[in-house]
Short mmCIF file of all heavy atoms in Angstrom, two decimals:
data_model
loop_
_atom_site.label_atom_id
_atom_site.label_comp_id
_atom_site.label_asym_id
_atom_site.label_seq_id
_atom_site.Cartn_x
_atom_site.Cartn_y
_atom_site.Cartn_z
N ILE A 182 58.09 95.02 22.36
CA ILE A 182 58.52 93.66 22.68
C ILE A 182 57.29 92.82 22.97
O ILE A 182 56.44 93.21 23.78
CB ILE A 182 59.47 93.65 23.90
CG1 ILE A 182 60.74 94.44 23.60
CG2 ILE A 182 59.80 92.22 24.32
CD1 ILE A 182 61.62 94.68 24.83
N PHE A 183 57.21 91.66 22.33
CA PHE A 183 56.11 90.73 22.56
C PHE A 183 56.69 89.40 23.04
O PHE A 183 57.60 88.86 22.42
CB PHE A 183 55.31 90.50 21.29
CG PHE A 183 54.12 89.60 21.49
CD1 PHE A 183 52.88 90.14 21.76
CD2 PHE A 183 54.24 88.23 21.40
CE1 PHE A 183 51.77 89.32 21.96
CE2 PHE A 183 53.15 87.40 21.61
CZ PHE A 183 51.91 87.94 21.89
N ILE A 184 56.12 88.86 24.14
CA ILE A 184 56.56 87.58 24.69
C ILE A 184 55.43 86.58 24.51
O ILE A 184 54.32 86.80 24.99
CB ILE A 184 56.92 87.70 26.19
CG1 ILE A 184 57.90 88.86 26.40
CG2 ILE A 184 57.53 86.39 26.69
CD1 ILE A 184 58.17 89.17 27.88
N GLY A 185 55.72 85.51 23.80
CA GLY A 185 54.69 84.55 23.42
C GLY A 185 54.28 83.61 24.54
O GLY A 185 54.62 83.79 25.71
N GLY A 186 53.53 82.59 24.16
CA GLY A 186 53.01 81.63 25.11
C GLY A 186 53.51 80.23 24.84
O GLY A 186 54.03 79.92 23.76
N GLY A 187 53.33 79.37 25.81
CA GLY A 187 53.80 77.99 25.74
C GLY A 187 54.10 77.51 27.14
O GLY A 187 53.37 77.82 28.09
N TYR A 188 55.19 76.78 27.30
CA TYR A 188 55.57 76.26 28.62
C TYR A 188 56.19 77.38 29.44
O TYR A 188 57.27 77.89 29.12
CB TYR A 188 56.55 75.10 28.47
CG TYR A 188 55.87 73.81 28.05
CD1 TYR A 188 55.89 73.39 26.73
CD2 TYR A 188 55.18 73.03 28.98
CE1 TYR A 188 55.26 72.22 26.34
CE2 TYR A 188 54.54 71.86 28.59
CZ TYR A 188 54.58 71.47 27.27
OH TYR A 188 53.93 70.32 26.89
N THR A 189 55.52 77.73 30.52
CA THR A 189 55.98 78.85 31.34
C THR A 189 57.38 78.66 31.88
O THR A 189 58.17 79.62 31.88
CB THR A 189 54.98 79.11 32.48
OG1 THR A 189 53.67 79.22 31.94
CG2 THR A 189 55.32 80.40 33.22
N PRO A 190 57.77 77.46 32.36
CA PRO A 190 59.15 77.30 32.85
C PRO A 190 60.21 77.61 31.79
O PRO A 190 61.27 78.16 32.11
CB PRO A 190 59.21 75.83 33.29
CG PRO A 190 57.80 75.47 33.60
CD PRO A 190 56.98 76.23 32.60
N VAL A 191 59.92 77.28 30.54
CA VAL A 191 60.88 77.56 29.46
C VAL A 191 60.97 79.06 29.22
O VAL A 191 62.07 79.62 29.11
CB VAL A 191 60.46 76.83 28.17
CG1 VAL A 191 61.32 77.29 26.98
CG2 VAL A 191 60.57 75.32 28.34
N TYR A 192 59.83 79.73 29.16
CA TYR A 192 59.84 81.18 28.97
C TYR A 192 60.54 81.88 30.13
O TYR A 192 61.28 82.85 29.93
CB TYR A 192 58.42 81.72 28.80
CG TYR A 192 57.92 81.61 27.39
CD1 TYR A 192 57.32 80.45 26.93
CD2 TYR A 192 58.06 82.67 26.50
CE1 TYR A 192 56.86 80.34 25.63
CE2 TYR A 192 57.61 82.57 25.20
CZ TYR A 192 57.02 81.40 24.77
OH TYR A 192 56.58 81.30 23.47
N HIS A 193 60.31 81.38 31.34
CA HIS A 193 60.96 81.98 32.50
C HIS A 193 62.47 81.83 32.41
O HIS A 193 63.23 82.77 32.66
CB HIS A 193 60.44 81.34 33.79
CG HIS A 193 60.96 81.98 35.03
ND1 HIS A 193 62.07 81.49 35.69
CD2 HIS A 193 60.55 83.08 35.72
CE1 HIS A 193 62.31 82.26 36.73
NE2 HIS A 193 61.41 83.23 36.78
N ARG A 194 62.94 80.65 32.04
CA ARG A 194 64.38 80.41 31.92
C ARG A 194 65.00 81.28 30.82
O ARG A 194 66.09 81.86 31.02
CB ARG A 194 64.64 78.93 31.61
CG ARG A 194 66.10 78.61 31.30
CD ARG A 194 66.31 77.13 31.04
NE ARG A 194 65.56 76.65 29.89
CZ ARG A 194 66.00 76.73 28.63
NH1 ARG A 194 67.16 77.33 28.36
NH2 ARG A 194 65.27 76.25 27.64
N LEU A 195 64.33 81.39 29.70
CA LEU A 195 64.90 82.11 28.56
C LEU A 195 64.85 83.62 28.72
O LEU A 195 65.81 84.32 28.36
CB LEU A 195 64.16 81.72 27.28
CG LEU A 195 64.32 80.29 26.77
CD1 LEU A 195 63.40 80.06 25.59
CD2 LEU A 195 65.77 80.00 26.38
N TYR A 196 63.72 84.14 29.24
CA TYR A 196 63.45 85.56 29.09
C TYR A 196 63.25 86.33 30.39
O TYR A 196 63.16 87.57 30.36
CB TYR A 196 62.23 85.76 28.20
CG TYR A 196 62.38 85.13 26.84
CD1 TYR A 196 61.47 84.18 26.37
CD2 TYR A 196 63.45 85.47 26.01
CE1 TYR A 196 61.61 83.60 25.11
CE2 TYR A 196 63.60 84.90 24.75
CZ TYR A 196 62.68 83.96 24.31
OH TYR A 196 62.83 83.39 23.07
N ALA A 197 63.17 85.65 31.53
CA ALA A 197 62.90 86.37 32.78
C ALA A 197 64.09 86.38 33.72
O ALA A 197 63.96 86.76 34.88
CB ALA A 197 61.69 85.77 33.49
N SER A 198 65.25 85.99 33.24
CA SER A 198 66.43 85.96 34.10
C SER A 198 67.67 86.33 33.28
O SER A 198 67.62 86.42 32.06
CB SER A 198 66.62 84.56 34.71
OG SER A 198 66.79 83.60 33.69
N GLY A 199 68.76 86.56 33.97
CA GLY A 199 70.03 86.84 33.32
C GLY A 199 70.01 88.12 32.50
O GLY A 199 69.19 89.02 32.71
N ALA A 200 70.92 88.18 31.53
CA ALA A 200 71.10 89.40 30.75
C ALA A 200 69.88 89.73 29.91
O ALA A 200 69.54 90.91 29.72
CB ALA A 200 72.33 89.26 29.85
N VAL A 201 69.20 88.71 29.41
CA VAL A 201 68.01 88.97 28.58
C VAL A 201 66.89 89.57 29.42
O VAL A 201 66.25 90.55 29.02
CB VAL A 201 67.55 87.67 27.87
CG1 VAL A 201 66.22 87.90 27.16
CG2 VAL A 201 68.61 87.21 26.88
N GLY A 202 66.64 88.99 30.59
CA GLY A 202 65.63 89.54 31.47
C GLY A 202 65.94 90.98 31.86
O GLY A 202 65.05 91.84 31.89
N GLU A 203 67.21 91.24 32.16
CA GLU A 203 67.61 92.60 32.53
C GLU A 203 67.40 93.58 31.37
O GLU A 203 66.98 94.72 31.57
CB GLU A 203 69.07 92.60 32.97
CG GLU A 203 69.31 91.90 34.30
CD GLU A 203 70.78 91.85 34.66
OE1 GLU A 203 71.60 92.42 33.90
OE2 GLU A 203 71.11 91.23 35.70
N MET A 204 67.66 93.12 30.15
CA MET A 204 67.48 94.00 28.99
C MET A 204 66.01 94.32 28.77
O MET A 204 65.64 95.46 28.46
CB MET A 204 68.07 93.37 27.74
CG MET A 204 67.92 94.21 26.48
SD MET A 204 68.67 95.86 26.62
CE MET A 204 70.42 95.40 26.65
N ILE A 205 65.14 93.32 28.92
CA ILE A 205 63.70 93.58 28.79
C ILE A 205 63.26 94.60 29.84
O ILE A 205 62.51 95.53 29.54
CB ILE A 205 62.90 92.27 28.92
CG1 ILE A 205 63.21 91.35 27.73
CG2 ILE A 205 61.40 92.56 29.00
CD1 ILE A 205 62.62 89.96 27.86
N GLN A 206 63.74 94.45 31.06
CA GLN A 206 63.41 95.41 32.13
C GLN A 206 63.90 96.80 31.78
O GLN A 206 63.19 97.79 32.00
CB GLN A 206 64.02 94.94 33.45
CG GLN A 206 63.37 93.68 34.01
CD GLN A 206 64.15 93.11 35.17
OE1 GLN A 206 65.38 93.22 35.24
NE2 GLN A 206 63.45 92.48 36.10
N GLN A 207 65.11 96.91 31.25
CA GLN A 207 65.66 98.21 30.89
C GLN A 207 64.86 98.85 29.75
O GLN A 207 64.58 100.07 29.79
CB GLN A 207 67.12 98.06 30.48
CG GLN A 207 68.05 97.72 31.64
CD GLN A 207 69.46 97.38 31.17
OE1 GLN A 207 69.84 97.71 30.05
NE2 GLN A 207 70.23 96.73 32.03
#
């Protein structure tokens, strides 16, 4: 899994919370 760069608040909202964030952690 690769997470790109850009606006950190957008990446945090999309990929560091909720079901998607949990899946990355798993």
Side-chain angles (χ1 to χ4, degrees):
I182 298 170
F183 183 94
I184 309 172
Y188 284 100
T189 309
V191 171
Y192 276 86
H193 185 265
R194 173 178 62 84
L195 292 174
Y196 303 123
S198 61
V201 172
E203 290 176 4
M204 180 58 69
I205 293 172
Q206 291 169 328
Q207 290 172 18

